[in-house]
């Protein structure tokens, strides 16, 4: 997600950090780069202009120039402004507290409406809520069948009627849902190639008859500026309750995600991040900002880890990381946890500073087992203090673990690099970071 954008921000920020003292001149240079980067990512030009102006107003001042770590201060300002742009806080979808709560999904052809309908239905099912999927696309051949197959695959009922006005289908579906105590009704509307009057009118009629709890535009993040223009038109006409960004897993440049809220005023509520029905994420502006700025997504990572990680151990580890007394012994414990958490490369991008460092290194899960063997062959003292490991001990450890001395050297070197990295991460103060959020940034 947003690979190019993240790399560029990483470069800009590294330069800023590297600058010993910040002057108005190097702030200006950095901001010029930020501006160019955002424009290249297809962020709306007006949004970029305001964004830069806001940063300038907060950043160019005496407090920043006199500060001890000015580079980081600027980075934090950029981060804060980006969160603002993305909408501050997640606005959740309407709760399923009626019988039925009604969501309408609309959008252009192929934007991902039907897929999202399935994802939301599955999510509701997980909360023991009964969903009725409503096929309101009577135009595209096989659209009804597609929804039917999807519904069958997740055990969710689909309401369908052929050759009937979509708004009439919706009314019948609502009656049916009320009589049968459905918690949620998701209306999957027809897509069009372009915005056209007929489509808008149809949606207006459905909206007025249904009084939905959510009217969500599904916008394809891969279409960049078009997604923004689309959202603007739909919102003006239909007064949407929210936007769902789809295909955020692809090589979307970020423009749509960054601009939609600012241009339309309509919140992005959820993100669709893959073809699988479980690929659904709540859209959190603060986490998205951290991801875009290459600060990783520690909080998502923590959430992902919570099921597998022993929180007591995690908080002890957090303490060690903060005090920088993290040892190979702790690292070994981390490897055990990480192995339980599953696909490494998907976890890596979420770790601050690590995504970039490890970008080109293929992640070899078997390598972890080898690293474990090496650490197991060390004495407890050596794990606490790798400095004790001299040439002959390296040979013993290599022989004991079935590795070469070079492998041992590499491990020790990487471990020491990692310690430095952790130190840097520690220096940066993440706003609102929950307790227990630091223990995971360690992988070879
Ligand atoms: N990679 C990726 N693919 C997606 C995502 N959401 C949908 N798709 C794919 O995009 C294609 C279109 O998705 P649909 O859900 O059928 O789109 P639609 O808006 O219902 O399309 P119409 O009914 O024709 O208007 C399918 O191949 C989906 O698998 C996503 O978040 N990521
Ligand atoms: Mg569809």
């Amino acid at each position: 997600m947003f690979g190019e954008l993240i790399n560029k921000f990483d470069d800009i920020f590294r330069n800023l950090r590297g600058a010993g003292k910040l002057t108005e001149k190097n702030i200006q240079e950095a901001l010029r780069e930020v501006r160019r980067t955002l424009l290249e990512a297809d962020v709306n030009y007006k949004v970029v202009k305001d964004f830069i102006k806001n940063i300038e107003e907060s950043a160019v001042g005496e407090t920043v120039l006199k500060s001890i770590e000015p580079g980081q201060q600027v980075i934090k300002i950029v981060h804060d402004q980006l969160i603002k742009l993305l909408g501050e806080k997640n606005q959740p979808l309407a709760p399923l507290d009626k019988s039925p709560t009604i969501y309408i999904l609309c959008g252009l052809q192929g934007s991902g409406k039907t897929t999202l309908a399935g994802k939301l239905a599955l999510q509701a099912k997980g909360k023991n809520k009964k969903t009725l999927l409503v096929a309101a696309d009577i135009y595209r051949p096989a659209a009804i069948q597609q929804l039917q197959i999807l519904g069958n695959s997740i055990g969710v009922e689909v309401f369908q009627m052929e050759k009937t006005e979509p708004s009439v289908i919706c009314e019948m579906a609502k009656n049916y849902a009320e009589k049968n105590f459905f918690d949620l009704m998701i209306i999957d509307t027809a897509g069009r190639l372009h915005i056209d009057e007929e489509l808008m009118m149809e949606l207006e009629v459905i909206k007025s008859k249904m009084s939905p709890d959510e009217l969500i535009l599904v916008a394809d993040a891969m279409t960049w500026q078009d997604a923004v223009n689309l959202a603007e038109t739909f919102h003006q006409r239909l007064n949407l309750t929210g936007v769902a960004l789809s295909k955020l897993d692809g090589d979307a440049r970020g423009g749509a995600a960054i601009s939609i809220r600012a241009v339309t005023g309509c919140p992005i509520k959820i993100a669709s991040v893959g073809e699988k029905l479980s690929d659904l994420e709540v859209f959190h502006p603060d986490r998205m900002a951290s991801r875009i700025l290459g600060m990783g997504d520690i909080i998502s990572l923590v959430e992902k880890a919570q099921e597998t990680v022993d929180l007591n151990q995690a908080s002890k580890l957090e303490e060690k990381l903060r005090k920088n007394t993290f040892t190979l012994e702790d690292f070994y414990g981390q490897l055990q946890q990480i192995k339980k958490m599953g696909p490494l490369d998907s976890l890596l991008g979420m770790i601050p500073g690590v995504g970039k460092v490890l970008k080109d290194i293929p992640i070899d899960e078997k390598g972890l087992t080898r690293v474990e063997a090496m650490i197991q062959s060390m004495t407890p003292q050596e794990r606490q203090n790798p400095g004790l490991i001299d040439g002959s001990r390296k040979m013993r450890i290599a022989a004991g673990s079935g590795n070469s001395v070079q492998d041992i050297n590499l491990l020790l070197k990487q471990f020491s690099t990692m310690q430095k990295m952790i130190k840097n991460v520690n220096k940066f103060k993440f706003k609102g970071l929950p307790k227990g959020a630091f223990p995971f940034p360690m992988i070879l």
Side-chain angles (χ1 to χ4, degrees):
M1 193 195 289
F2 310 149
E4 192 62 24
L5 188 58
I6 292 171
N7 286 343
K8 290 208 176 124
F9 270 118
D10 206 58
D11 290 341
I12 298 171
F13 288 168
R14 185 150 357 151
N15 288 340
L16 262 184
R17 282 198 192 102
K21 198 168 183 295
L22 274 200
T23 58
E24 205 153 317
K25 184 161 165 281
N26 54 24
I27 292 180
Q28 286 302 341
E29 254 164 45
L31 289 187
R32 240 196 324 274
E33 284 299 307
V34 170
R35 177 191 286 123
R36 185 166 36 203
T37 300
L38 291 174
L39 288 173
E40 276 171 14
D42 231 338
V43 178
N44 177 288
Y45 74 94
K46 203 178 158 308
V47 172
V48 176
K49 203 171 139 214
D50 291 346
F51 183 66
I52 299 289
K53 198 169 128 249
N54 289 341
I55 295 175
E56 272 171 346
E57 281 170 8
S58 330
V60 184
E62 270 180 74
T63 37
V64 171
L65 297 178
K66 282 182 191 158
S67 149
I68 311 156
E69 290 177 21
Q72 290 186 341
Q73 220 168 317
V74 176
I75 295 166
K76 182 164 183 315
I77 292 169
V78 174
H79 189 224
D80 289 350
Q81 290 296 335
L82 191 56
I83 294 174
K84 255 195 196 157
L85 203 61
L86 290 167
E88 301 272 8
K89 273 203 159 51
N90 167 258
Q91 296 209 19
L93 290 173
L96 310 186
D97 54 5
K98 293 184 193 156
S99 186
T101 296
I102 301 178
Y103 293 177
I104 299 178
L105 304 183
C106 59
L108 295 189
Q109 227 166 60
S111 60
K113 298 178 291 298
T114 305
T115 309
L116 181 64
K119 290 177 181 183
L120 291 170
L122 186 65
Q123 194 183 54
K125 194 175 175 185
K127 295 178 190 157
N128 282 327
K129 298 286 184 184
K130 199 168 138 192
T131 301
L132 183 65
L133 287 167
V134 182
D137 179 355
I138 51 164
Y139 309 102
R140 182 165 65 79
I144 297 177
Q145 200 193 1
Q146 186 195 353
L147 194 64
Q148 191 79 63
I149 292 171
L150 185 70
N152 283 345
S153 76
I154 52 174
V156 168
E157 193 173 340
V158 174
F159 188 94
Q160 60 165 87
M161 291 170 79
E162 295 194 18
K163 300 194 182 85
T164 313
E165 273 284 297
S167 65
V168 176
I169 297 178
C170 292
E171 282 178 318
M172 307 285 266
K174 190 175 174 189
N175 281 338
Y176 180 79
E178 278 165 359
K179 281 204 188 89
N180 293 281
F181 306 106
F182 279 85
D183 300 292
L184 174 64
M185 179 172 139
I186 303 176
I187 302 175
D188 183 27
T189 65
R192 297 288 154 95
L193 274 177
H194 309 285
I195 297 168
D196 63 26
E197 189 50 31
E198 213 180 327
L199 168 73
M200 287 297 178
M201 274 163 51
E202 180 176 302
L203 289 170
E204 270 171 351
V205 174
I206 296 178
K207 183 186 172 193
S208 74
K209 288 194 173 169
M210 290 294 105
S211 310
D213 301 280
E214 292 285 355
L215 176 55
I216 299 283
L217 172 72
V218 183
D220 181 340
M222 308 273 281
T223 60
W224 304 320
Q225 285 280 343
D226 285 348
V228 181
N229 297 334
L230 183 79
E232 199 173 15
T233 312
F234 267 74
H235 192 43
Q236 274 167 6
R237 185 75 185 254
L238 293 162
N239 196 14
L240 302 166
T241 58
V243 173
L245 266 188
S246 68
K247 308 188 193 174
L248 261 186
D249 51 311
D251 59 354
R253 280 188 276 175
I258 297 176
S259 320
I260 280 187
R261 169 65 199 241
V263 171
T264 66
C266 187
I268 301 173
K269 293 191 169 176
I270 37 175
S272 212
V273 293
E275 293 190 68
K276 286 202 306 302
L277 289 182
S278 54
D279 296 332
L280 182 66
E281 279 183 13
V282 172
F283 187 87
H284 289 286
D286 47 350
R287 298 186 198 179
M288 189 54 72
S290 299
R291 247 190 230 181
I292 290 173
L293 298 182
M295 293 168 182
D297 192 347
I298 288 196
I299 301 167
S300 292
L301 185 63
V302 170
E303 278 182 359
K304 202 164 188 167
Q306 251 157 4
E307 296 148 30
T308 44
V309 170
D310 173 344
L311 282 180
N312 255 339
Q313 198 190 335
S315 85
K316 273 190 215 136
L317 215 47
E318 179 185 354
E319 191 62 27
K320 288 190 163 197
L321 286 174
R322 289 198 196 283
K323 292 190 180 150
N324 224 26
T325 55
F326 182 74
T327 66
L328 275 164
E329 185 81 53
D330 303 317
F331 180 49
Y332 181 77
Q334 280 291 293
L335 287 184
Q336 310 303 313
Q337 304 271 13
I338 284 163
K339 272 170 63 178
K340 285 193 246 159
M341 280 163 60
L344 285 181
D345 35 5
S346 78
L347 298 173
L348 280 176
M350 298 183 182
I351 301 170
V354 176
K356 173 88 176 179
V357 176
L358 296 173
K359 190 167 77 63
D360 301 319
I361 304 173
I363 302 304
D364 169 16
E365 307 239 356
K366 276 199 206 113
L368 286 187
T369 316
R370 286 181 41 226
V371 168
E372 270 178 77
M374 289 190 246
I375 300 178
Q376 273 168 342
S377 299
M378 295 172 191
T379 64
Q381 289 81 2
E382 287 166 345
R383 289 180 209 162
Q384 295 295 331
N385 181 7
L388 296 173
I389 305 175
D390 59 13
S392 75
R393 280 299 302 152
K394 280 181 191 166
M395 275 159 70
R396 280 298 309 247
I397 295 167
S401 62
N403 288 287
S404 66
V405 171
Q406 283 95 316
D407 289 331
I408 310 293
N409 282 334
L410 189 66
L411 168 68
L412 295 176
K413 185 161 174 285
Q414 284 175 324
F415 181 70
S416 117
T417 309
M418 198 173 65
Q419 278 182 317
K420 280 185 209 130
M421 220 158 72
I422 292 167
K423 221 169 163 179
N424 287 337
V425 171
N426 276 344
K427 269 197 225 152
F428 196 87
K429 290 177 186 55
F430 287 88
K431 199 179 148 197
L433 202 67
K435 217 176 147 37
F438 261 107
F440 310 102
M442 47 258 10
I443 293 181
L444 281 189

